[in-house]
Amino acid sequence: MKTAHLYVRVSTDEQAEKGYSQRDQEERLKRYCEANNIIIKNVLFEDFSAKTFIRPEWIKLIDGLKKRTSRTDLVLFTKWDRFSRNACDAYQMINVLRKLNVEPQAIEQPLDLAIPENKMMLAIYLAAPEVENDRRALNTFNGMRRAKKEGRLMGRAPYGYINKISEDGKKYIVRKEPEASNIIWAFEEMAKGIFSASQIMFMMNKRDGKSLKISAFLEGLRNVAYCGKIFVGDYNDEKAYHVKSIHEALINEELY
């Protein structure tokens, strides 16, 4: 009888977006092994992205296979995107497993890799999730760029502001006190040229009990968002530029 390791993988994002279930994958894999008289050696649960094979449980699996403490014939998973979402890395890992005399197999997308034509289907199974990843990343980038052009600051709100979400799901920032007054004070003190940046940071931290570090403080002083502007970086043929923000400016351009 053949022996197998069962590999169950799902990332946190996938569980939230698509409802993937580790328990469901495990049940399907165990039913497959029972129906095909395959001995289960171990079930590995991975909560990690498949963009690379730098995953804790997968690394442990490969290390164990290399030690050859006992025979293993198969590594089973439900679909090829559970194995990898990167075609180039997947082919390399398949070769690693073959050298160890271990066959990777997706029970819901079975392929006999000894048949040359099946490599075309394997390419499709592996490329499809990678394309999906790339499309999602591009859509996210384009969406964030569009938001910046509309004057919305994306990401974590800088000191002095707080993140908000409108009823239609759009993100924006609003003034937050007493932090906003503190950063205004810091800009005004810097403009006087009496104290150094580290001294002003120390005094500002005492004002509100925070422990802002000098690197973050200096980065904040260079943030154009405080004077009501949003930086839009260059992309393709479009050069970088600034747009007027929709959020309230804490200082004027002259002080900035």
Side-chain angles (χ1 to χ4, degrees):
M1 296 177 68
K2 290 187 175 182
T3 61
H5 287 288
L6 308 187
Y7 184 67
V8 176
R9 188 197 67 77
V10 58
S11 69
T12 303
D13 289 343
E14 287 173 330
Q15 289 192 63
E17 293 177 7
K18 299 183 179 181
Y20 280 101
S21 167
Q22 288 188 338
R23 182 179 298 177
D24 181 58
Q25 291 181 57
E26 180 187 12
E27 289 177 355
R28 282 181 282 165
L29 287 165
K30 286 184 175 180
R31 284 199 302 268
Y32 176 86
C33 290
E34 183 179 355
N36 291 274
N37 296 317
I38 297 172
I39 298 173
I40 299 172
K41 296 189 65 176
N42 192 17
V43 182
L44 295 96
F45 296 93
E46 190 91 82
D47 183 4
F48 223 76
S49 169
K51 292 179 181 179
T52 73
F53 280 99
I54 304 175
R55 313 172 211 156
E57 293 303 318
W58 185 264
I59 292 172
K60 291 178 184 177
L61 171 62
I62 295 300
D63 287 344
L65 293 174
K66 288 180 178 178
K67 291 177 182 178
R68 301 177 187 272
T69 53
S70 61
R71 193 191 75 175
T72 300
D73 301 298
L74 301 163
V75 173
L76 299 177
F77 33 88
T78 53
K79 294 183 179 181
W80 284 102
D81 66 351
R82 302 300 88 205
F83 175 67
S84 177
R85 298 178 73 88
N86 183 304
C88 182
D89 286 354
Y91 283 120
Q92 293 179 3
M93 185 55 66
I94 289 171
N95 287 333
V96 169
L97 291 170
R98 280 179 167 176
K99 290 178 181 178
L100 296 171
N101 295 315
V102 177
E103 178 190 354
Q105 190 60 263
I107 63 171
E108 296 178 11
Q109 297 168 329
L111 291 173
D112 182 355
L113 298 181
I115 300 174
E117 287 77 10
N118 280 347
K119 292 180 180 179
M120 290 189 290
M121 283 304 301
L122 176 62
I124 294 173
Y125 287 144
L126 293 173
E130 185 175 2
V131 170
E132 181 185 355
N133 278 344
D134 292 346
R135 172 49 59 188
R136 186 185 297 115
L138 183 59
N139 288 343
T140 299
F141 172 81
N142 288 334
M144 293 183 67
R145 187 172 179 80
R146 171 49 54 191
K148 289 180 179 180
K149 290 180 177 180
E150 294 173 354
R152 289 189 285 127
L153 183 68
M154 303 304 292
R156 184 177 180 181
Y159 180 87
Y161 292 98
I162 188 172
N163 292 101
K164 295 285 186 178
I165 301 178
S166 63
E167 292 183 358
D168 59 357
K170 291 186 176 181
K171 297 179 181 179
Y172 64 101
I173 62 172
V174 296
R175 180 177 181 141
K176 180 186 179 184
E177 292 293 354
E179 288 87 344
S181 295
N182 289 335
I183 196 66
I184 293 172
W185 174 85
F187 272 103
E188 291 172 343
E189 290 299 313
M190 285 293 295
K192 293 176 183 177
I194 299 175
F195 299 105
S196 67
S198 59
Q199 289 173 319
I200 294 172
M201 180 202 68
F202 177 76
M203 289 186 287
M204 190 182 78
N205 283 340
K206 288 190 66 176
R207 283 168 62 99
D208 64 359
K210 300 289 183 180
S211 56
L212 198 65
K213 294 182 179 180
I214 187 64
S215 57
F217 179 69
L218 292 175
E219 183 179 353
L221 294 179
R222 293 191 290 267
N223 193 338
V224 294
Y226 286 120
C227 65
K229 289 188 174 183
I230 300 295
F231 176 72
V232 181
D234 54 358
Y235 180 63
N236 290 337
D237 296 331
E238 191 175 19
K239 293 183 179 180
Y241 62 98
H242 290 87
V243 299
K244 181 177 174 57
S245 70
I246 64 171
H247 66 260
E248 173 192 1
L250 298 185
I251 60 172
N252 57 42
E253 289 188 44
E254 184 179 358
L255 179 57
Y256 176 79

